[in-house]
Amino acid sequence: MTHDKLITAEAAADKVPSDATLATGGFVGIGFPEALARALEERFVSGGEPRNLTLVYAAGQGDGKERGLNHLAHEGLVKRVIGGHWGLVPKLGALACDNKIEAYNLPQGVIAQLYRDIAAGKPGMLTHVGLHTFVDPRHGGGRINEKTRDELVELMTVRGQECLFYPTFPIQVAFLRGTTADARGNITMEREALPLESLAIAQAVHNSGGKVFVQVERLTERHQLHAERVHIPGILVDHIILADPSEHLQTFAEPYNPAYTGEVRLPALMGGEPLSIRRVIGRRAAEHLKPDSVVNLGIGMPELVAEVAADKGLLDKITLTIEPGAIGGRPAGGLSFGAAANAEAIIDQPAQFDFYDGGGLDQAYLGMAQVDRFGNVNVSRFGSRLSGAGGFINISQNAREVFFMGTFEAGPQDILIEDTGLRVNKGGTGRKFVTDVEHMTFNGRYALEREQRVFYITERCVFQLTANGLELVEIAPGLDLDRDILAYMDFRPAISSRLHVTDHSLYRPAPAT
């Protein structure tokens, strides 16, 4: 490897100019170049440079505390952030909520795909994704605060159909990650859990005349792997950074798990976990799983659907997918979310969103934080708390069936699970079913136009989206409709004429079969 190609993280940080646009790869901690982000932070803290960067990233890249893009959360270091998910980067989110930076939240899939359009020299990306949500210019255009003025999304009509146009822009710097670099800078990813959008970013930055920096864990004179395993060709790579192992974990939770790279196969999930309200919701949601379905599971409570499916022996009858690229297998949770053990295939993140956006998903299981009378859902913003949409908009707008999952109320609550059903001793501290959502992450009326089947699943009851708005179709055994459900809602939903009681077996400690 030539002397000028292999450099330290500190030398790489020195090469980032002020006023540049920086794109970073990563999904939570998977594929995130921690050494490069840390070095850039240290350069700014010690010397005040670089300044006024525009940061672009697709998926959330952080641990919710200090790592990941939280390193770059310094006023003056960044002036504008265009991000897909903000919940894992609370330090950046605080700058946005305090009006210290310009801040946008665009759909994760749109950003991942936009890199390819930048690489190809296209004027922008035309898509239906984001229509009738807070990303639509008629509802804010993805702008997060008052400081953010520029329009990054345009509404267009093409052949009689409304579309959103996301213009492209040049990117001067890429911070990426791989496993092994050879002497010519070719990058393989044999120990990475996901390839993500690394190739698209490298092409976009190279074709913008910028510099591509790739953090790796090892060097080789010549790759012993087949050429098709090279994910970022050396012609796109300007500099290689050899990282310390402490800054090159496979995920933010695990140094290395060979099941994520297909080296070993893990046994089936074992049941026996204590029955909880979360697990009751997971059991009820899993009742909708259909054999031969292609399914997406969101982060958090939807992860329980995989556990319940394993208990019921359904994992081999459905195909679970995750938006960063894993197809099949068992999705990981927590700070390893995005990885999958025993995956059948792992593809690039932009390609996964092509599949999703075109209607490839049969079913999607997603979280919910607020739901209103029209079936609209908010998961992206609550007052001064900024979470962002991530891949939620791409997934929820395009799956044939959507199941939103969450507790009936927010905050601590005392609910007893009995063999005969539920007993509410004390309600929660915040309402989830409100008259109008604060932020439009999912539009119920648009879903009806698209003929999607939509359900809202809680431990106390199940709602379905109908032309009348939210309709109550099912109630947990042991509960009173007025006392335990309607009293905790800001509106009265339609009540199905076929309202029925949930199967009692879902509330018994033994796995539901």
Side-chain angles (χ1 to χ4, degrees):
M1 184 170 295
T2 59
H3 177 72
D4 60 344
K5 199 146 195 170
L6 178 62
I7 62 175
T8 65
E10 290 70 24
D14 287 342
K15 292 179 180 291
V16 178
S18 293
D19 302 306
T21 296
L22 164 68
T24 59
F27 188 97
V28 189
I30 298 168
F32 184 78
E34 182 74 6
L36 286 167
R38 184 263 310 157
L40 189 62
E41 177 184 34
E42 290 178 352
R43 181 191 169 201
F44 177 79
V45 170
S46 63
E49 295 285 341
R51 297 188 62 81
N52 299 325
L53 298 182
T54 293
L55 172 64
V56 185
Y57 66 93
Q61 299 168 12
D63 62 355
K65 298 176 182 178
E66 305 292 333
R67 291 183 289 182
L69 290 176
N70 292 292
H71 286 295
L72 307 190
H74 294 277
E75 188 177 357
L77 173 56
V78 294
K79 69 172 182 179
R80 171 181 287 189
V81 177
I82 305 168
H85 189 273
W86 289 74
L88 294 168
V89 288
K91 291 189 173 184
L92 279 176
L95 290 179
C97 291
D98 291 342
N99 233 29
K100 300 288 183 64
I101 59 174
E102 298 174 34
Y104 297 85
N105 183 199
L106 302 183
Q108 178 180 326
V110 166
I111 297 175
Q113 294 162 332
L114 196 61
Y115 292 134
R116 297 187 308 196
D117 293 328
I118 295 170
K122 296 179 181 179
M125 177 181 172
L126 199 62
T127 177
H128 61 280
V129 173
L131 280 171
H132 307 293
T133 71
F134 71 87
V135 180
D136 191 314
R138 295 168 292 192
H139 301 288
R143 293 187 294 264
I144 287 174
N145 58 23
E146 294 178 1
K147 186 180 180 69
T148 307
R149 301 293 181 87
D150 292 347
E151 293 274 7
L152 297 191
V153 188
E154 300 174 27
L155 179 66
M156 293 186 175
T157 301
V158 179
R159 294 186 175 181
Q161 297 292 318
E162 287 187 341
C163 298
L164 295 183
F165 180 72
Y166 299 85
T168 53
F169 48 85
I171 307 176
Q172 287 79 38
V173 182
F175 278 4
L176 303 173
R177 198 177 97 169
T179 299
T180 308
D182 69 13
R184 294 178 62 83
N186 295 301
I187 308 295
T188 53
M189 297 190 172
E190 61 271 25
R191 286 170 58 88
E192 302 296 315
L194 299 163
L196 299 170
E197 66 273 38
S198 300
L199 175 60
I201 292 177
Q203 290 178 326
V205 172
H206 180 273
N207 288 357
S208 295
K211 298 292 184 183
V212 176
F213 301 88
V214 184
Q215 170 185 318
V216 298
E217 65 175 86
R218 58 193 184 189
L219 306 173
T220 184
E221 183 62 28
R222 179 178 296 178
H223 277 296
Q224 298 301 306
L225 299 173
H226 194 280
E228 67 185 12
R229 296 291 299 277
V230 171
H231 202 79
I232 308 177
I235 58 172
L236 303 176
V237 178
D238 294 284
H239 295 289
I240 303 297
I241 295 83
L242 183 61
D244 185 88
S246 66
E247 295 185 311
H248 204 97
L249 306 179
Q250 190 182 41
T251 77
F252 278 150
E254 301 171 88
Y256 183 68
N257 186 333
Y260 297 157
T261 56
E263 293 180 54
V264 301
R265 184 171 181 85
L266 294 184
L269 285 168
M270 301 299 291
E273 293 85 353
L275 189 58
S276 64
I277 291 299
R278 289 171 56 87
R279 194 163 183 83
V280 165
I281 297 170
R283 283 183 173 186
R284 179 59 192 84
E287 293 292 299
H288 287 280
L289 287 170
K290 297 177 181 177
D292 302 320
S293 292
V294 178
V295 181
N296 171 271
L297 297 181
I299 193 170
M301 195 171 292
E303 297 169 19
L304 291 168
V305 174
E307 297 180 18
V308 175
D311 287 344
K312 295 168 68 71
L314 292 176
L315 276 186
D316 291 336
K317 299 177 182 178
I318 60 174
T319 301
L320 299 179
T321 70
I322 324 172
E323 60 267 28
I327 298 172
R330 182 202 308 173
L335 290 179
S336 291
F337 181 68
N342 310 339
E344 298 174 27
I346 298 176
I347 62 177
D348 286 1
Q349 182 168 219
Q352 187 80 304
F353 277 110
D354 289 339
F355 177 68
Y356 284 4
D357 292 352
L361 282 174
D362 297 306
Q363 298 181 316
Y365 291 81
L366 302 167
M368 61 181 183
Q370 280 185 335
V371 181
D372 69 19
R373 54 198 162 138
F374 303 113
N376 304 320
V377 177
N378 173 21
V379 299
S380 46
R381 184 162 191 173
F382 318 92
S384 61
R385 192 171 126 223
L386 176 63
S387 296
F392 185 96
I393 293 176
N394 297 83
I395 296 164
S396 65
Q397 282 194 336
N398 295 300
R400 294 180 180 87
E401 294 183 325
V402 184
F403 305 92
F404 296 111
M405 301 169 58
T407 55
F408 185 74
E409 289 188 279
Q413 47 195 305
D414 182 8
I415 301 179
L416 182 64
I417 304 173
E418 302 175 317
D419 287 351
T420 54
L422 297 181
R423 185 170 75 220
V424 179
N425 294 325
K426 183 180 179 181
T429 57
R431 297 203 171 180
K432 287 190 174 182
F433 290 88
V434 297
T435 303
D436 295 290
V437 294
E438 295 178 47
H439 217 219
M440 183 79 74
T441 331
F442 174 81
N443 189 303
R445 288 174 176 168
Y446 187 48
L448 290 172
E449 291 178 16
R450 295 170 66 84
E451 299 183 345
Q452 291 177 286
R453 296 184 72 231
V454 184
F455 293 86
Y456 309 78
I457 300 172
T458 77
E459 79 284 1
R460 298 189 206 180
C461 57
V462 176
F463 299 93
Q464 183 171 3
L465 181 63
T466 71
N468 296 321
L470 217 61
E471 181 174 282
L472 184 68
V473 297
E474 189 174 311
I475 185 171
L479 300 187
D480 178 81
L481 175 61
D482 291 305
R483 182 192 66 220
D484 298 317
I485 295 177
L486 299 183
Y488 294 95
M489 300 179 68
D490 286 350
F491 62 94
R492 183 180 178 86
I495 309 296
S496 174
S497 60
R498 294 178 292 177
L499 179 67
H500 64 280
V501 176
T502 307
D503 189 336
H504 287 69
S505 67
L506 296 177
Y507 304 91
R508 294 170 186 153
T513 57

